[in-house]
Amino acid sequence: MKKLLAFSLVLLLIGSSLFFIVTNNSSTQPQTQQSSDIQEPNPAPLIVENKVAADLNSSPAAPDQAEQLVVIERTDWKLDQPLRTQLTRLKNRADQGDLQTAYSLAMNLRFCSMAPLDETDLDARLQQAYQYKDDGVAIADIKERYEFCAGVDQQQRDEFYAYLETTAKAGYVYAQEEMASVTPELFMQLAGATELERGAYIQKRNDFIQLQLSLLESASQHGSIKALIQLSNMHHSQNYGDHGRAKSYALNQLILELADDNELQSRYSWFVQRRQSELTPEQIEQAQALSQQWLAMIKANGTLYLP
């Protein structure tokens, strides 16, 4: 009986040892394998990357520095003091070639071009706003513009265009964008060309439109999404040369690739899909090639101006 009990105890100890070995192996081995498969993620670099480069590059390696775009932050051009108190200083700096100051001066003068000239003009505009039962927003805007622009006469206000055009031709992207907002009719009025003979009038007007197009193209090739949008709209109207719809399609593709705004993405995805039905396969192929050419120029310039 004692021998039987001793033998049973030995079997029990052997079984416990085997269970401990099997359990220990099964619990440790998968942990070792899992830890060898997981790697700590690399921290994201603090740079602005062009997402187009990431889409085109299938390699997991870091994108080429040449394909990274620097986002240029927009600055507020509005002055915090009445324009008349700073006009001389701004003009002196602008005339010395300070493009940022010249742009700010142009924008503030243009802001004043829509302000009342004197108290009589102010009273007339306020009376009109009261008649329309304005909720106060327009009235406050009229008063703010008048106080900011008081003392700056009409001739000085009209000088906004000269500063804007000079700055745009010198390559200042924001001024190039803004040139698109000047209508041909306003330009002809500011240039004193409204009484020209018909042929001369049309020629001068067309020259201005060509200037607008060239400045917008320059801004676009420096990564201005605002300029790309304006160019796309102009070409889609088919009033600015041949192959307008194809050019608009190419520009819409660029906007889609560069913009990170959800609303713009949604709008221009719809535009691209709709335009596909208006173009032949050959036109679409040509437009895509044009889009890639412009994208290469934007990358070479290395900047991105968000709207």
Side-chain angles (χ1 to χ4, degrees):
M1 185 65 175
K2 290 181 179 180
K3 290 182 179 180
L4 181 59
L5 288 173
F7 182 75
S8 299
L9 181 59
V10 169
L11 290 177
L12 180 62
L13 291 173
I14 292 172
S16 298
S17 299
L18 291 173
F19 177 80
F20 175 79
I21 293 170
V22 172
T23 303
N24 188 56
N25 286 341
S26 63
S27 62
T28 58
Q29 187 64 28
Q31 292 178 3
T32 303
Q33 182 65 34
Q34 183 179 9
S35 63
S36 65
D37 291 341
I38 297 177
Q39 298 179 355
E40 289 295 323
N42 294 325
L46 297 177
I47 55 177
V48 179
E49 293 184 6
N50 175 15
K51 74 184 187 69
V52 179
D55 293 341
L56 297 178
N57 185 3
S58 60
S59 170
D64 190 337
Q65 291 291 330
E67 295 184 349
Q68 296 170 358
L69 301 180
V70 177
V71 175
I72 308 299
E73 297 292 340
R74 291 185 178 269
T75 56
D76 187 5
W77 50 261
K78 180 73 182 296
L79 302 173
D80 56 3
Q81 297 294 327
L83 180 55
R84 68 179 180 277
T85 65
Q86 307 179 65
L87 191 57
T88 300
R89 177 182 63 85
L90 292 173
K91 282 190 173 185
N92 288 338
R93 292 182 60 179
D95 293 342
Q96 291 170 6
D98 187 328
L99 296 183
Q100 184 172 347
T101 298
Y103 170 73
S104 176
L105 175 59
M107 296 299 288
N108 280 280
L109 287 172
R110 188 172 194 188
F111 178 82
C112 288
S113 67
M114 294 175 283
L117 268 172
D118 51 34
E119 290 188 0
T120 302
D121 191 8
L122 172 64
D123 291 340
R125 297 196 193 194
L126 289 176
Q127 184 63 32
Q128 186 179 30
Y130 289 133
Q131 289 177 351
Y132 281 102
K133 297 181 180 180
D134 179 77
D135 59 2
V137 175
I139 292 172
D141 180 67
I142 292 170
K143 291 180 177 179
E144 177 191 353
R145 284 178 184 265
Y146 177 73
E147 292 172 359
F148 178 79
C149 302
V152 181
D153 61 35
Q154 188 63 56
Q155 183 178 353
Q156 291 172 315
R157 297 179 186 193
D158 288 346
E159 290 176 352
F160 87 86
Y161 179 80
Y163 285 105
L164 187 65
E165 180 184 309
T166 300
T167 309
K169 287 181 176 179
Y172 198 72
V173 171
Y174 295 137
Q176 293 174 336
E177 294 173 345
E178 190 64 25
M179 281 288 290
S181 69
V182 180
T183 65
E185 291 72 24
L186 176 58
F187 165 74
M188 297 298 286
Q189 177 185 337
L190 293 171
T194 56
E195 301 301 325
L196 286 177
E197 181 270 330
R198 177 176 172 78
Y201 181 97
I202 293 174
Q203 183 62 54
K204 191 171 185 66
R205 185 179 184 274
N206 288 344
D207 289 345
F208 169 71
I209 292 172
Q210 290 304 312
L211 174 63
Q212 281 184 313
L213 287 170
S214 65
L215 292 173
L216 282 172
E217 288 178 0
S218 174
S220 298
Q221 291 166 9
H222 282 82
S224 167
I225 295 178
K226 188 174 180 180
L228 287 169
I229 290 172
Q230 186 64 31
L231 273 177
S232 174
N233 293 338
M234 293 174 74
H235 283 302
H236 183 257
S237 71
Q238 301 189 89
N239 295 323
Y240 299 90
D242 298 332
H243 313 296
R245 292 289 172 90
K247 291 177 182 177
S248 178
Y249 181 85
L251 293 165
N252 290 345
Q253 291 275 18
L254 271 176
I255 294 166
L256 266 181
E257 295 188 15
L258 294 174
D260 60 359
D261 180 86
N262 289 335
E263 182 180 348
L264 281 178
Q265 285 282 335
S266 176
R267 185 189 312 167
Y268 281 88
S269 292
W270 184 81
F271 284 160
V272 166
Q273 292 173 5
R274 184 175 180 179
R275 300 294 174 261
Q276 285 178 340
S277 63
E278 302 172 353
L279 301 174
T280 66
E282 182 181 3
Q283 288 175 320
I284 291 176
E285 183 178 355
Q286 292 172 347
Q288 290 173 340
L290 177 62
S291 179
Q292 290 304 308
Q293 290 174 6
W294 277 56
L295 181 58
M297 286 185 282
I298 292 171
K299 289 180 180 180
N301 287 317
T303 52
L304 180 64
Y305 292 77
L306 299 177

